[in-house]
Short mmCIF file of all heavy atoms in Angstrom, two decimals:
data_model
loop_
_atom_site.label_atom_id
_atom_site.label_comp_id
_atom_site.label_asym_id
_atom_site.label_seq_id
_atom_site.Cartn_x
_atom_site.Cartn_y
_atom_site.Cartn_z
N GLY A 54 32.86 61.82 8.26
CA GLY A 54 34.03 62.68 8.32
C GLY A 54 35.26 61.93 8.77
O GLY A 54 36.36 62.11 8.22
N PHE A 55 35.09 61.06 9.76
CA PHE A 55 36.22 60.27 10.25
C PHE A 55 36.72 59.33 9.18
O PHE A 55 37.94 59.23 8.96
CB PHE A 55 35.78 59.47 11.48
CG PHE A 55 36.87 58.62 12.06
CD1 PHE A 55 37.75 59.13 13.00
CD2 PHE A 55 37.04 57.29 11.67
CE1 PHE A 55 38.77 58.35 13.54
CE2 PHE A 55 38.05 56.50 12.19
CZ PHE A 55 38.92 57.04 13.13
N VAL A 56 35.82 58.63 8.49
CA VAL A 56 36.20 57.69 7.44
C VAL A 56 36.95 58.42 6.32
O VAL A 56 37.99 57.95 5.83
CB VAL A 56 34.97 56.96 6.88
CG1 VAL A 56 35.32 56.20 5.61
CG2 VAL A 56 34.40 56.01 7.92
N PHE A 57 36.42 59.57 5.91
CA PHE A 57 37.07 60.34 4.83
C PHE A 57 38.48 60.74 5.24
O PHE A 57 39.43 60.57 4.46
CB PHE A 57 36.24 61.59 4.52
CG PHE A 57 36.90 62.50 3.52
CD1 PHE A 57 36.87 62.21 2.17
CD2 PHE A 57 37.55 63.66 3.94
CE1 PHE A 57 37.49 63.05 1.24
CE2 PHE A 57 38.18 64.50 3.03
CZ PHE A 57 38.14 64.20 1.68
N PHE A 58 38.63 61.27 6.45
CA PHE A 58 39.94 61.71 6.92
C PHE A 58 40.90 60.54 7.05
O PHE A 58 42.08 60.64 6.70
CB PHE A 58 39.78 62.43 8.27
CG PHE A 58 41.02 63.16 8.71
CD1 PHE A 58 41.60 64.14 7.91
CD2 PHE A 58 41.62 62.88 9.93
CE1 PHE A 58 42.74 64.82 8.31
CE2 PHE A 58 42.76 63.54 10.34
CZ PHE A 58 43.32 64.53 9.53
N TYR A 59 40.40 59.41 7.52
CA TYR A 59 41.25 58.21 7.67
C TYR A 59 41.74 57.73 6.31
O TYR A 59 42.92 57.39 6.14
CB TYR A 59 40.45 57.10 8.37
CG TYR A 59 41.31 56.04 9.02
CD1 TYR A 59 41.31 55.89 10.40
CD2 TYR A 59 42.11 55.19 8.27
CE1 TYR A 59 42.09 54.92 11.01
CE2 TYR A 59 42.90 54.22 8.87
CZ TYR A 59 42.89 54.10 10.24
OH TYR A 59 43.67 53.14 10.84
N ILE A 60 40.85 57.71 5.32
CA ILE A 60 41.24 57.26 3.98
C ILE A 60 42.28 58.19 3.37
O ILE A 60 43.24 57.74 2.73
CB ILE A 60 40.00 57.16 3.07
CG1 ILE A 60 39.11 56.00 3.53
CG2 ILE A 60 40.41 56.96 1.61
CD1 ILE A 60 37.80 55.89 2.78
N VAL A 61 42.11 59.50 3.56
CA VAL A 61 43.07 60.47 3.03
C VAL A 61 44.44 60.27 3.68
O VAL A 61 45.47 60.23 2.99
CB VAL A 61 42.58 61.91 3.25
CG1 VAL A 61 43.68 62.91 2.91
CG2 VAL A 61 41.35 62.18 2.39
N ILE A 62 44.46 60.14 5.01
CA ILE A 62 45.72 59.97 5.73
C ILE A 62 46.45 58.71 5.27
O ILE A 62 47.65 58.73 4.96
CB ILE A 62 45.47 59.91 7.25
CG1 ILE A 62 45.09 61.29 7.79
CG2 ILE A 62 46.71 59.38 7.99
CD1 ILE A 62 46.19 62.31 7.77
N THR A 63 45.74 57.59 5.24
CA THR A 63 46.39 56.33 4.86
C THR A 63 46.66 56.26 3.36
O THR A 63 47.67 55.70 2.93
CB THR A 63 45.53 55.13 5.29
OG1 THR A 63 44.19 55.28 4.78
CG2 THR A 63 45.46 55.03 6.80
N GLY A 64 45.75 56.79 2.56
CA GLY A 64 45.93 56.76 1.11
C GLY A 64 47.12 57.58 0.65
O GLY A 64 47.79 57.21 -0.32
N GLY A 69 49.75 59.15 11.20
CA GLY A 69 48.55 59.45 11.96
C GLY A 69 47.53 58.33 12.03
O GLY A 69 46.55 58.42 12.77
N ALA A 70 47.72 57.26 11.25
CA ALA A 70 46.73 56.18 11.22
C ALA A 70 46.57 55.52 12.58
O ALA A 70 45.46 55.18 12.99
CB ALA A 70 47.13 55.15 10.16
N THR A 71 47.68 55.35 13.29
CA THR A 71 47.61 54.70 14.62
C THR A 71 46.78 55.54 15.58
O THR A 71 45.92 55.01 16.30
CB THR A 71 49.02 54.50 15.19
OG1 THR A 71 49.77 53.68 14.31
CG2 THR A 71 48.96 53.84 16.56
N LEU A 73 44.49 57.76 14.81
CA LEU A 73 43.09 57.73 14.36
C LEU A 73 42.40 56.44 14.79
O LEU A 73 41.21 56.45 15.12
CB LEU A 73 43.02 57.89 12.84
CG LEU A 73 43.38 59.27 12.30
CD1 LEU A 73 43.36 59.26 10.77
CD2 LEU A 73 42.41 60.32 12.83
N THR A 74 43.13 55.33 14.78
CA THR A 74 42.55 54.06 15.23
C THR A 74 42.22 54.12 16.71
O THR A 74 41.16 53.65 17.15
CB THR A 74 43.52 52.91 14.94
OG1 THR A 74 43.86 52.91 13.55
CG2 THR A 74 42.88 51.57 15.29
N VAL A 90 37.10 51.40 11.30
CA VAL A 90 38.53 51.43 11.00
C VAL A 90 38.92 50.31 10.03
O VAL A 90 39.76 50.49 9.15
CB VAL A 90 39.37 51.32 12.28
CG1 VAL A 90 40.85 51.19 11.96
CG2 VAL A 90 39.14 52.54 13.16
N ALA A 93 37.84 51.63 6.64
CA ALA A 93 38.54 52.86 6.28
C ALA A 93 40.02 52.59 6.01
O ALA A 93 40.59 53.11 5.04
CB ALA A 93 38.39 53.89 7.39
N SER A 94 40.64 51.77 6.85
CA SER A 94 42.06 51.47 6.65
C SER A 94 42.29 50.66 5.38
O SER A 94 43.29 50.88 4.68
CB SER A 94 42.62 50.70 7.86
OG SER A 94 41.95 49.46 8.04
N GLY A 97 41.86 53.01 2.46
CA GLY A 97 43.03 53.87 2.39
C GLY A 97 44.24 53.15 1.85
O GLY A 97 44.99 53.68 1.02
#
Side-chain angles (χ1 to χ4, degrees):
F55 180 87
V56 168
F57 174 78
F58 192 57
Y59 201 115
I60 291 174
V61 170
I62 288 291
T63 53
T71 300
L73 289 176
T74 305
V90 173
S94 61

